[in-house]
Amino acid sequence: MPNRRRYHSISLKLTDEELQLWNTKHEASGLNKTDYLMQAIRNSEVRVYSIEESIAPIVHEIRKIGTNLNQLAYFSNIGQEYRVRAEIEAIRKTNDRVMGQLSDFLNDPKFSIKGSK
C-alpha cells in the first residue's frame, strides 16, 4: 500500500465476542491494524435493505380500507342500508386487491439496496 499520511482516527466499542473476532481475523491476515481495516473497507459491500418503496402502495390501500370501514359505520348508524351494502362491496374489492398485492410481494419481495458498490 502506498505510504500516506492519515490525519483522522476512528474509535469504536466492541463486545468481547466482536473483539475476539477482530483479533482472530486481523492476526490471520498478517497485516497491521490499519492496513487490515483499510482492506476490509475497500473490499466489502454494505447493503441496507428497504422495503418501504415496495409496500407503500399496499399501506395506502389498507388505509383506504380503514376509511371505507369508517364510512360503513357512519352509514349503518344513520340507517342508510343501501350505502352500507355499497361500502361492503368496496371494502371487499379493495381487500381482494390488497391481498393480491401482498401475495405478489411475499412471493417476490422487491428491496431497494442502498450503499452497494
Side-chain angles (χ1 to χ4, degrees):
M1 293 204 161
N3 188 8
R4 307 181 187 163
R5 290 183 179 249
R6 293 186 169 104
Y7 300 100
H8 304 280
S9 65
I10 297 174
S11 174
L12 70 142
K13 294 185 179 197
L14 304 172
T15 65
D16 291 339
E17 294 81 19
E18 291 165 340
L19 180 61
Q20 183 179 1
L21 180 62
W22 162 267
N23 287 332
T24 301
K25 289 186 171 192
H26 163 249
E27 291 167 7
S29 75
L31 300 171
N32 66 42
K33 289 180 182 179
T34 299
D35 290 342
Y36 174 74
L37 184 57
M38 293 307 300
Q39 197 169 67
I41 291 170
R42 287 189 185 108
N43 297 330
S44 67
E45 182 174 330
V46 176
R47 294 180 177 195
V48 178
Y49 295 94
S50 172
I51 61 170
E52 292 173 14
E53 294 170 10
S54 297
I55 65 168
I58 298 170
V59 171
H60 177 73
E61 292 295 326
I62 291 171
R63 286 188 177 135
K64 283 173 54 178
I65 290 172
T67 299
N68 288 2
L69 286 171
N70 288 336
Q71 291 173 343
L72 174 65
Y74 173 75
F75 293 140
S76 177
N77 287 332
I78 63 172
Q80 294 189 1
E81 191 175 310
Y82 70 96
R83 285 190 165 175
V84 170
R85 283 193 295 274
E87 285 302 316
I88 289 173
E89 183 60 22
I91 290 169
R92 187 191 62 73
K93 286 180 181 178
T94 304
N95 185 63
D96 289 347
R97 187 171 51 252
V98 168
M99 290 299 113
Q101 291 173 335
L102 188 55
S103 178
D104 291 345
F105 174 77
L106 292 174
N107 288 330
D108 185 23
K110 303 284 190 260
F111 297 101
S112 60
I113 302 173
K114 299 174 183 172
S116 60
K117 282 186 185 179

